[in-house]
Amino acid sequence: MDRFSFLNAAHTQLIEDLYQQYKKYPDSVEPSWKSFFQGFDFALENYGDEDTEGSATYAPSVPVQQMVQSASAGGEVPEDIRREFKVVNLIEAYRSRGHLFTKTNPVRERRHYSPTLDIENFGLSREDLQRRFNCAVQTGMPGSSTLQDIITHLEKTYCDSIGIEYMHISNVAEKEFIKEWLQNNENHPVLSSEEKINILHKLNQAVAFENYLNTKFVGQKRFSLEGGESLIPALDQLITRSSTLGVNEVVLGMAHRGRLNVLSNIFGKSYKQIFSEFEGKEFEEDVFSGDVKYHLGATNIIKTAAGEEVIINLCPNPSHLETVAALVEGISRAKVDHKYHDYHKVLPIVIHGDGALAGQGIVYEVAQMMTLDGYKTGGTVHIVTNNQVAFTTNYLDSRSSIYCTDIAKVTDSPVMHVNDDDVEAVVHAIHFAAEYRAKFGKDVYIDLLGYRKYGHNEGDEPRFTQPQLYKLISKHPNPREIYKNKLKEEGIVSDDKLKMMEAEFKQLLDKDFDASKEIVKNKMDLFMAEDWKGIGYCPKGGLQIPADTRYDLAMLKDLAVKISTLPKDKKFISKITRLFDARLKLIENNTVDWAIGEQLAYATLLTENHSVRISGEDVERGTFSHRHAVVKTEDHEEEYAPLDHVSEAKFDIYNSHLSEYGVLGFEYGYAMASPEALTIWEAQFGDFVNGAQIIIDQYLVAAEEKWRVQNGLVMLLPHGFEGQGAEHSSARLERFLALCANQNIIVANCTTPANFFHMIRRQLIWDFRKPLVVMSPKSLLRHPKVVSTLEELAEGSFQPIIDDATADPEKVERLVLCSGKLYYELLAKKEESAAENIALVRVEQLYPLQQDKLNEILDKYSNRTSLVWAQEEPENMGAWTYILRNMRDTGIQVVAPVPSGSPAPGSHKMFEKNQSGVISKVFNLSKSPVTV
């Protein structure tokens, strides 16, 4: 009966009884009633699949029973009921389409949409305006009201400075929460005088700071917030309100626009330091490039207006828009996993530009993480600084969707579109975002409709592309002036108070500007310094210093048995059982294959109290079905992860959604906040990494030089030419080697389980952190020669270069350097032909190249007549140009397939020809080695 509760008692029972009759026997009710129920479909539209059976009802009186019988027998739907439901339709239209008819654009008319919300479009007329309707209670009004009053109420709630989209949400509880929030005070804030003055204070800081920069640094790029200054009180209020809802730490990501304002007026970065950065001075640190001021990050502890202490972090980021969103999620998840163990304690905030939100594909990749077990963060507040022109593109050219925020509908997230000039509406929307996120743990979007006072940067001429818009903008008052006048009218502030507020802030800025002149060199604030306490920076040559990665042999064997033994009380498919039994037999025979060596690397770190996280496509079993870190029971698909039972330390492994860019960004962010954890991303095939190239170029290889940010992320990129065609052969080793400099990353192509074991352990045993890129094997996973002993794991160490143990230096005429799986193919040829005149040396770590060991090997084989670099990649790819650059004075030559625009041929026969050609050429001593 709740469906019709706004009607009077007689009507309610009449319709309820007829509705129950209609549900059971649709054709038994009079045609107009049947049409009525079909047309409105109340149950599904407003209450999900809720059934009225069993709900509280009362026995109908005799007259009501007669009405039901009469209506069922042939009477039509009474006109007053028809009208009630026409008004219900009008109410529903305001809820679902009211956002199209708001006053949210501060500088120009909104686009016109049809049909409008005019009452004539709902079968109502002007004569109905003074009629009273019971359905007014559906809008939060206390009782029946005239249609005119209902419309006025709906206009204030849905069509003023805030437009909301929420009717697409399928969860009934969420919709009811939002509906009640909106109906309270007609979706308008109720703020005390103190709160209003605090908002004005933050708005004054935002406006005055931008004006000051414009005066002192004319024409310099700063990506001004002017036209969107309400962002500053918005962030201030979001952090304050969230702190009262349990948030202890905030992770914020944003692009350039407004960043300096956020750094100064939210994060408390000194104006003096920002002014000094405008002078372009050098940084104090050596071997440090630095970055432009509007890319820099910050971490601080602030006290909110509510009296709560909150840690706030602003991620450093490059110019590549939306990339930082993935990092924000990864950092936030790491803090939940390792520090708080509660999603309510960490708040991710991402500030987007309108064009970037609509145009960048990573937005979708990150949005899809919202509820995934491996990536969820308890909901993100997305704030759009919508300047309506994106870069220099009119909104009609920058997207096909109505709003830049339409991605929200993918995740059933609500959106509030707000007029940036109405700062109280902005604050109200922000309060909603904080409370919705805290209650439902989902993403929420706040679209701040403002403008951009200048061009893309302050030296740009915006009238080239938007002359009419910028005519309007040039005459438009800023949000501070608008709000100042509003508070003056309300008698909350006086002219004298306003002048004093502005003069005090100007005096502070002048003082810091003068002090900035005294700074000789700029200092870089460390991002998340507390999280990295105890972790130093790599000294010069530090990557060449061996790390002690040994592990007790008896303990290692026990671990090997433990992680290779399945519980007897669970039933697994026979293939899994045989596989684990085979592992136990290998261990009994003191043989470690790749899968066992890898699992032991993780297990030993877990016993040393380091957590381990692995993610990527198919990582639980491993793309090539070698890892089986998670196995499932046959009958109930119950999951069992052997590494979960090694120690108290956390082992997490997650099959990701089909994303590289977003997931690699997430894992990079996770590692950025987890210096004591091992974080691994594995590409399904190595070449898939090219879908995440921006993360590599802008973060992985450059972050330490730009921002002094370390990271220990491991990337496993299966690489090897095996006849699978142009794709799935090459992880583009040449690209990574071209990006190597100043000890920024490690690039390796291991060929033994022991070397992989020690290399992975080394990541956390070092007292600094570096990204590691491993061209991990495919065919070597089950190669009979790719095995190690337990002693080599327990007592050995990582070998950057492995010499040929079988070669006699006196007999060697050709010294062949190679890397990766090609070694085993060359070895097979050497053994087949008993070639004592060839020495095969493996370069396991390509960058940094261990030059002293290499020189030692070159000296050892002094009788050689030729020195060769052999590779299976085309000559213009792979490691050749890198090797030549480092060994140009040695006379080294190359054996490789001919240069190509594609990594590998599609024809398997051509692949075999190339591969056999390389191998034959290496062993053909009668001819000079050349490309094949």
Side-chain angles (χ1 to χ4, degrees):
M1 193 164 68
D2 287 345
R3 290 180 178 81
F4 317 109
S5 60
F6 58 86
L7 300 176
N8 62 44
H11 284 151
T12 300
Q13 191 60 43
L14 161 68
I15 296 173
E16 186 63 60
D17 288 356
L18 278 174
Y19 184 72
Q20 294 303 326
Q21 183 180 335
Y22 162 78
K23 281 176 68 177
K24 291 178 181 176
Y25 309 107
D27 293 330
S28 70
V29 297
E30 189 271 332
S32 70
W33 278 109
K34 181 180 177 183
S35 174
F36 176 77
F37 291 131
Q38 287 174 333
F40 290 107
D41 199 8
F42 295 109
L44 294 178
E45 180 68 24
N46 292 315
Y47 294 91
D49 295 322
E50 182 185 25
D51 198 328
T52 56
E53 289 179 14
S55 60
T57 57
Y58 58 86
S61 63
V62 173
V64 172
Q65 288 176 331
Q66 291 172 351
M67 287 176 67
V68 172
Q69 291 165 359
S70 173
S72 181
E76 294 191 357
V77 181
E79 184 57 32
D80 58 339
I81 294 178
R82 285 183 183 275
R83 276 206 196 91
E84 286 279 357
F85 282 104
K86 287 175 182 176
V87 178
V88 168
N89 263 359
L90 176 65
I91 293 167
E92 290 301 296
Y94 269 92
R95 287 172 177 160
S96 60
R97 299 183 69 246
H99 58 86
L100 298 173
F101 306 99
T102 55
K103 302 164 188 170
T104 49
N105 197 318
V107 290
R108 58 181 168 185
E109 289 268 328
R110 287 204 60 180
R111 274 188 280 182
H112 296 288
Y113 295 93
S114 60
T116 65
L117 297 175
D118 293 344
I119 58 173
E120 290 78 8
N121 292 324
F122 298 87
L124 297 162
S125 67
R126 296 292 150 188
E127 288 74 35
D128 293 317
L129 288 173
Q130 298 311 313
R131 288 181 189 271
R132 300 187 72 83
F133 290 91
N134 293 319
C135 60
V137 297
Q138 294 288 80
T139 71
M141 299 177 82
S144 69
S145 298
T146 66
L147 179 57
Q148 182 62 69
D149 288 343
I150 293 171
I151 291 170
T152 301
H153 173 70
L154 292 171
E155 285 286 324
K156 286 181 180 177
T157 304
Y158 293 101
C159 300
D160 199 4
S161 291
I162 299 176
I164 183 163
E165 294 180 273
Y166 74 103
M167 293 300 284
H168 57 276
I169 296 173
S170 55
N171 184 287
V172 175
E174 289 177 41
K175 281 166 80 169
E176 285 301 307
F177 171 85
I178 296 169
K179 194 188 299 181
E180 287 174 20
W181 173 277
L182 298 174
Q183 290 171 178
N184 186 28
N185 300 316
E186 296 181 319
N187 196 23
H188 284 68
V190 176
L191 301 168
S192 67
S193 297
E194 184 183 355
E195 288 173 316
K196 292 183 179 187
I197 290 170
N198 184 54
I199 292 167
L200 179 62
H201 173 67
K202 297 308 289 184
L203 205 49
N204 180 61
Q205 284 183 337
V207 173
F209 176 73
E210 296 291 358
N211 289 343
Y212 196 84
L213 292 180
N214 192 46
T215 304
K216 296 295 184 182
F217 305 101
V218 180
Q220 276 209 44
K221 280 186 187 181
R222 69 178 193 275
F223 296 97
S224 145
L225 188 57
E226 286 163 278
E229 293 96 333
S230 292
L231 175 67
I232 299 304
L235 280 175
D236 179 63
Q237 290 284 321
L238 177 56
I239 295 168
T240 298
R241 179 59 66 95
S242 297
S243 73
T244 66
L245 297 168
V247 168
N248 289 354
E249 189 159 359
V250 170
V251 183
L252 171 63
M254 67 182 298
H256 309 59
R257 188 150 312 283
R259 191 180 190 87
L260 297 180
N261 215 314
V262 169
L263 278 167
S264 59
N265 295 316
I266 298 296
F267 280 78
K269 182 170 181 174
S270 74
Y271 302 113
K272 176 175 69 174
Q273 195 172 340
I274 291 173
F275 296 152
S276 181
E277 288 167 3
F278 268 95
E279 302 291 343
K281 299 169 187 174
E282 292 181 1
F283 286 90
E284 289 177 356
E285 295 80 2
D286 294 329
V287 196
F288 172 61
S289 302
D291 201 357
V292 290
K293 53 195 167 292
Y294 40 79
H295 285 176
L296 304 181
T299 295
N300 201 1
I301 300 174
I302 62 168
K303 195 161 193 176
T304 69
E308 306 280 353
E309 278 198 348
V310 180
I311 302 168
I312 53 176
N313 307 280
L314 175 63
C315 298
N317 70 286
S319 295
H320 291 68
L321 301 173
E322 298 300 323
T323 303
V324 77
L327 273 77
V328 166
E329 304 301 336
I331 292 168
S332 299
R333 177 57 180 263
K335 288 182 178 291
V336 169
D337 285 352
H338 302 308
K339 189 174 179 181
Y340 297 105
H341 312 290
D342 182 350
Y343 290 110
H344 290 92
K345 299 293 184 185
V346 183
L347 171 64
I349 305 171
V350 181
I351 302 173
H352 309 266
D354 50 317
L357 184 66
Q360 297 293 305
I362 192 173
V363 173
Y364 186 86
E365 295 182 36
V366 172
Q368 286 288 13
M369 294 175 178
M370 186 180 76
T371 59
L372 302 183
D373 281 348
Y375 306 94
K376 63 186 178 184
T377 56
T380 300
V381 176
H382 300 267
I383 302 175
V384 186
T385 51
N386 188 342
N387 58 38
Q388 307 185 57
V389 294
F391 182 59
T392 54
T393 308
N394 286 312
Y395 62 87
L396 292 172
D397 295 323
S398 66
R399 61 179 183 268
S400 297
S401 58
I402 292 176
Y403 296 113
C404 62
T405 52
D406 282 343
I407 186 71
K409 290 166 186 166
V410 169
T411 54
D412 261 12
S413 297
V415 185
M416 277 193 169
H417 307 279
V418 195
N419 188 323
D420 197 279
D421 273 359
D422 188 343
V423 67
E424 289 189 7
V426 170
V427 166
H428 188 63
I430 285 295
H431 288 171
F432 164 78
E435 295 193 17
Y436 175 87
R437 186 264 177 188
K439 185 171 180 63
F440 296 106
K442 285 180 59 178
D443 291 6
V444 56
Y445 292 74
I446 305 297
D447 180 17
L448 301 183
L449 267 292
Y451 54 93
R452 188 180 68 197
K453 186 172 180 180
Y454 302 106
H456 175 64
N457 61 64
E458 286 65 32
D460 188 28
E461 175 50 82
R463 287 175 296 177
F464 286 156
T465 47
Q466 285 101 4
Q468 290 185 339
L469 173 62
Y470 274 87
K471 234 181 236 180
L472 297 171
I473 289 172
S474 65
K475 300 171 188 173
H476 194 77
N478 65 52
R480 180 187 65 180
E481 297 308 306
I482 295 169
Y483 194 51
K484 188 167 77 173
N485 292 333
K486 180 178 186 293
L487 295 192
K488 277 168 63 179
E489 287 174 13
E490 293 177 7
I492 291 173
V493 293
S494 63
D495 280 327
D496 289 342
K497 172 73 174 171
L498 291 166
K499 284 176 185 174
M500 186 175 73
M501 183 188 289
E502 291 169 22
E504 284 176 354
F505 192 61
K506 168 75 163 52
Q507 188 178 7
L508 172 63
L509 294 174
D510 282 337
K511 182 182 173 185
D512 275 21
F513 181 75
D514 291 338
S516 72
K517 301 294 184 184
E518 305 301 318
I519 298 175
V520 178
K521 287 189 175 183
N522 290 326
K523 182 177 175 61
M524 172 67 71
D525 292 329
L526 290 181
F527 179 60
M528 295 195 301
E530 192 63 30
D531 297 79
W532 284 80
K533 190 179 280 185
I535 306 288
Y537 286 91
C538 178
K540 190 172 182 180
L543 293 184
Q544 303 286 18
I545 300 170
D548 185 358
T549 52
R550 294 173 297 172
Y551 194 86
D552 182 81
L553 179 60
M555 291 173 62
L556 187 72
K557 186 166 185 179
D558 286 346
L559 274 178
V561 171
K562 188 170 188 177
I563 64 175
S564 303
T565 303
L566 294 173
K568 301 298 183 189
D569 60 340
K570 299 180 190 300
K571 184 184 178 186
F572 301 92
I573 64 171
S574 56
K575 275 190 177 180
I576 287 293
T577 305
R578 287 199 303 272
L579 186 147
F580 274 73
D581 287 344
R583 285 184 182 176
L584 286 171
K585 285 178 183 172
L586 284 173
I587 294 161
E588 286 172 19
N589 295 325
N590 195 20
T591 302
V592 175
D593 67 4
W594 198 278
I596 297 170
E598 179 189 355
Q599 300 283 68
L600 282 173
Y602 307 146
T604 55
L605 289 172
L606 288 165
T607 64
E608 292 166 346
N609 206 32
H610 295 290
S611 65
V612 175
R613 174 186 168 92
I614 307 170
S615 91
E617 295 146 17
D618 294 336
V619 294
E620 291 181 7
R621 67 180 179 110
T623 296
F624 310 111
S625 205
H626 82 287
R627 183 174 292 125
H628 298 290
V630 177
V631 292
K632 296 185 178 182
T633 59
E634 185 171 12
D635 297 331
H636 304 293
E637 294 194 3
E638 178 191 346
E639 292 188 345
Y640 177 78
L643 287 168
D644 274 343
H645 306 277
V646 164
S647 79
E648 294 299 313
K650 191 174 173 61
F651 174 73
D652 289 317
I653 186 164
Y654 297 105
N655 289 337
S656 74
H657 58 314
L658 200 63
S659 154
E660 289 83 39
Y661 187 7
V663 171
L664 182 58
F666 184 101
E667 300 305 338
Y668 183 88
Y670 194 97
M672 188 185 274
S674 311
E676 293 295 347
L678 179 69
T679 307
I680 296 176
W681 177 71
E682 182 177 63
Q684 190 176 58
F685 286 89
D687 60 303
F688 286 12
V689 75
N690 57 24
Q693 196 66 38
I694 288 172
I695 300 294
I696 295 158
D697 291 348
Q698 302 302 323
Y699 289 99
L700 195 85
V701 302
E704 189 170 344
E705 278 197 48
K706 291 193 292 188
W707 310 312
R708 297 194 72 213
V709 171
Q710 295 191 77
N711 199 293
L713 179 68
V714 177
M715 290 169 55
L716 302 181
L717 310 179
H719 172 92
F721 286 59
E722 292 155 339
Q724 296 199 48
E727 281 77 53
H728 309 338
S729 295
S730 175
R732 295 293 191 173
L733 175 61
E734 63 277 2
R735 287 183 185 165
F736 287 98
L737 293 175
L739 294 168
C740 292
N742 299 328
Q743 303 185 125
N744 59 341
I745 60 172
I746 302 150
V747 179
N749 197 351
C750 296
T751 58
T752 73
N755 233 12
F756 184 81
F757 171 88
H758 291 294
M759 181 178 60
I760 291 296
R761 284 182 50 75
R762 185 178 67 170
Q763 283 296 102
L764 293 182
I765 286 168
W766 271 330
D767 57 5
F768 53 82
R769 297 290 178 262
K770 294 287 178 181
L772 169 63
V773 179
V774 187
M775 300 283 150
S776 49
K778 289 182 281 186
S779 60
L780 301 193
L781 292 172
R782 296 175 181 82
H783 196 291
K785 286 187 177 289
V786 183
V787 292
S788 302
T789 64
L790 286 166
E791 287 79 8
E792 287 172 320
L793 272 66
E795 297 160 7
S797 63
F798 178 70
Q799 303 298 309
I801 299 176
I802 301 179
D803 195 0
D804 191 334
T806 65
D808 181 350
E810 298 297 322
K811 297 178 181 178
V812 170
E813 299 174 49
R814 175 168 292 173
L815 177 58
V816 179
L817 307 180
C818 63
S819 185
K821 70 172 260 299
L822 180 62
Y823 163 76
Y824 288 100
E825 294 171 33
L826 294 173
L827 178 63
K829 180 70 172 177
K830 179 181 177 180
E831 290 175 343
E832 177 193 322
S833 58
E836 295 183 326
N837 56 352
I838 300 281
L840 302 176
V841 174
R842 284 170 275 177
V843 181
E844 300 278 287
Q845 179 175 284
L846 288 148
Y847 184 83
L849 201 57
Q850 193 180 27
Q851 200 65 53
D852 56 347
K853 177 71 172 175
L854 194 55
N855 291 338
E856 191 182 296
I857 288 172
L858 293 177
D859 291 341
K860 175 182 173 182
Y861 297 101
S862 56
N863 291 339
R864 71 181 188 276
T865 57
S866 63
L867 176 63
V868 168
W869 173 260
Q871 66 179 40
E872 55 189 350
E873 301 92 343
E875 185 185 352
N876 59 317
M877 300 178 192
W880 166 236
T881 53
Y882 166 79
I883 291 294
L884 181 60
R885 192 165 71 247
N886 284 275
M887 300 180 67
R888 65 186 73 188
D889 298 327
T890 62
I892 193 167
Q893 295 177 290
V894 67
V895 173
V898 295
S900 171
S902 170
S907 159
H908 194 80
K909 286 189 176 179
M910 181 59 73
F911 155 74
E912 289 177 340
K913 183 179 176 183
N914 280 357
Q915 206 78 352
S916 61
V918 167
I919 295 166
S920 298
K921 211 66 167 174
V922 166
F923 288 87
N924 183 1
L925 296 184
S926 62
K927 296 180 184 178
S928 300
V930 292
T931 53
V932 295

Coordinates of all heavy atoms in Angstrom, one line a residue, residues 6 65-66 85 122 124 178 237 255 262 275 364 387 392 407 433 440 492 500 546 598 689 781 901:
F6 N 0.1 8.4 -0.7 CA -0.2 9.8 -0.8 C -1.7 10.1 -1.1 O -2.2 11.2 -1.0 CB 0.7 10.5 -1.8 CG 0.6 10.0 -3.2 CD1 -0.4 10.4 -4.0 CD2 1.5 9.0 -3.6 CE1 -0.5 9.9 -5.3 CE2 1.4 8.5 -4.9 CZ 0.4 9.0 -5.8
Q65 N -15.3 -1.4 -0.7 CA -15.4 -2.7 -1.4 C -16.3 -2.5 -2.6 O -16.0 -3.0 -3.7 CB -16.0 -3.8 -0.5 CG -15.0 -4.2 0.6 CD -15.6 -5.2 1.5 OE1 -16.8 -5.2 1.8 NE2 -14.8 -6.1 2.1
Q66 N -17.3 -1.7 -2.4 CA -18.2 -1.5 -3.5 C -17.5 -0.7 -4.6 O -17.8 -1.0 -5.8 CB -19.5 -0.7 -3.0 CG -20.4 -1.5 -2.1 CD -21.5 -0.7 -1.5 OE1 -21.5 0.6 -1.5 NE2 -22.4 -1.4 -0.8
F85 N -1.8 11.3 -10.5 CA -0.7 10.6 -11.1 C 0.0 11.4 -12.2 O 1.2 11.1 -12.5 CB -1.1 9.2 -11.5 CG -1.1 8.2 -10.3 CD1 -2.3 7.9 -9.8 CD2 0.0 7.8 -9.7 CE1 -2.4 7.0 -8.7 CE2 0.0 6.9 -8.6 CZ -1.3 6.6 -8.1
F122 N 2.5 17.3 -19.3 CA 2.1 16.2 -18.4 C 0.6 16.1 -18.3 O 0.1 15.5 -17.4 CB 2.7 16.4 -17.0 CG 4.2 16.4 -17.1 CD1 5.0 17.6 -17.3 CD2 4.9 15.2 -16.9 CE1 6.3 17.6 -17.4 CE2 6.3 15.2 -17.0 CZ 7.0 16.4 -17.2
L124 N -1.5 18.5 -17.7 CA -2.1 19.4 -16.7 C -2.3 20.7 -17.3 O -1.6 21.1 -18.3 CB -1.1 19.5 -15.4 CG -0.9 18.2 -14.7 CD1 0.3 18.2 -13.8 CD2 -2.2 17.8 -13.8
I178 N 19.4 9.9 -1.1 CA 19.6 11.2 -1.9 C 18.3 12.0 -1.9 O 18.4 13.2 -1.8 CB 20.1 10.8 -3.3 CG1 21.4 10.1 -3.3 CG2 20.1 12.1 -4.2 CD1 21.9 9.5 -4.6
Q237 N 36.1 22.5 2.9 CA 34.9 22.0 3.5 C 34.8 20.4 3.4 O 34.3 19.7 4.3 CB 33.6 22.6 2.9 CG 33.4 24.0 3.2 CD 32.9 24.2 4.6 OE1 32.1 23.5 5.1 NE2 33.4 25.2 5.3
A255 N 45.3 18.0 -11.9 CA 46.2 18.5 -13.0 C 46.7 19.9 -12.6 O 46.9 20.2 -11.4 CB 45.5 18.5 -14.3
V262 N 45.9 25.5 -4.6 CA 45.6 24.4 -3.7 C 46.8 24.2 -2.8 O 46.7 24.0 -1.6 CB 45.3 23.1 -4.4 CG1 45.3 21.9 -3.5 CG2 43.9 23.3 -5.1
F275 N 56.7 31.8 -4.6 CA 57.2 33.0 -5.3 C 58.6 32.7 -5.7 O 59.0 33.1 -6.8 CB 57.2 34.2 -4.3 CG 55.8 34.7 -3.9 CD1 55.6 35.3 -2.7 CD2 54.7 34.4 -4.7 CE1 54.3 35.7 -2.3 CE2 53.4 34.8 -4.4 CZ 53.2 35.5 -3.2
Y364 N 37.9 5.8 -17.6 CA 37.0 4.6 -17.6 C 37.7 3.4 -16.9 O 37.1 2.7 -16.1 CB 36.6 4.2 -19.0 CG 35.6 3.1 -19.1 CD1 34.3 3.3 -19.0 CD2 36.0 1.7 -19.2 CE1 33.3 2.3 -19.0 CE2 35.1 0.7 -19.2 CZ 33.8 1.0 -19.1 OH 32.9 -0.1 -19.2
N387 N 35.6 24.4 -16.8 CA 35.7 25.8 -17.3 C 35.1 25.9 -18.7 O 35.2 27.0 -19.3 CB 37.2 26.3 -17.4 CG 38.1 25.4 -18.2 OD1 37.6 24.9 -19.3 ND2 39.3 25.1 -17.8
T392 N 41.2 24.4 -25.6 CA 40.6 25.6 -26.3 C 39.4 25.1 -27.1 O 39.2 25.6 -28.2 CB 41.6 26.3 -27.1 OG1 42.2 25.3 -28.0 CG2 42.7 26.9 -26.3
I407 N 30.5 9.6 -17.3 CA 31.1 8.3 -16.8 C 30.5 7.9 -15.5 O 30.6 6.7 -15.2 CB 32.6 8.6 -16.7 CG1 33.4 7.3 -16.4 CG2 33.0 9.6 -15.6 CD1 33.5 6.3 -17.5
A433 N 28.6 15.1 -1.0 CA 29.6 14.2 -1.4 C 30.3 13.4 -0.3 O 30.5 12.2 -0.3 CB 30.6 14.9 -2.3
F440 N 28.0 5.0 1.7 CA 27.8 4.0 0.7 C 29.1 3.5 0.2 O 29.2 2.5 -0.5 CB 26.9 4.4 -0.4 CG 25.5 4.7 0.0 CD1 25.0 6.0 0.2 CD2 24.6 3.6 0.4 CE1 23.7 6.3 0.6 CE2 23.4 3.9 0.8 CZ 22.9 5.2 0.9
I492 N 26.1 40.2 7.6 CA 27.0 39.3 8.2 C 28.4 39.9 8.3 O 29.2 39.8 9.2 CB 27.1 37.9 7.5 CG1 25.7 37.2 7.8 CG2 28.2 37.1 8.0 CD1 25.6 35.9 7.1
M500 N 39.6 45.0 5.8 CA 40.6 44.6 6.7 C 41.1 43.2 6.3 O 42.3 42.9 6.3 CB 40.1 44.6 8.1 CG 41.2 44.2 9.2 SD 40.5 44.4 10.8 CE 39.5 42.9 10.9
P546 N 76.7 -5.6 -4.5 CA 75.9 -6.8 -4.2 C 75.1 -6.7 -3.0 O 75.5 -6.1 -2.0 CB 77.0 -7.9 -4.1 CG 78.2 -7.4 -4.8 CD 78.1 -5.9 -4.6
E598 N 60.2 -18.7 -8.1 CA 59.4 -17.4 -7.9 C 58.6 -17.4 -6.6 O 58.7 -16.5 -5.8 CB 58.5 -17.3 -9.1 CG 57.6 -16.0 -9.0 CD 56.5 -15.9 -10.1 OE1 56.5 -16.8 -10.9 OE2 55.7 -15.0 -10.0
V689 N 52.5 -3.9 -22.4 CA 52.9 -2.8 -21.6 C 52.9 -1.5 -22.4 O 52.8 -0.4 -21.9 CB 54.4 -3.0 -21.1 CG1 55.4 -2.9 -22.2 CG2 54.7 -2.1 -20.0
L781 N 59.8 -21.2 -18.7 CA 59.1 -21.6 -17.6 C 59.2 -23.1 -17.4 O 59.2 -23.6 -16.2 CB 57.6 -21.2 -17.6 CG 57.4 -19.7 -17.6 CD1 55.9 -19.4 -17.9 CD2 57.7 -19.1 -16.2
G901 N 60.0 -2.9 -39.2 CA 59.1 -2.0 -38.6 C 58.2 -2.8 -37.6 O 57.5 -2.2 -36.8

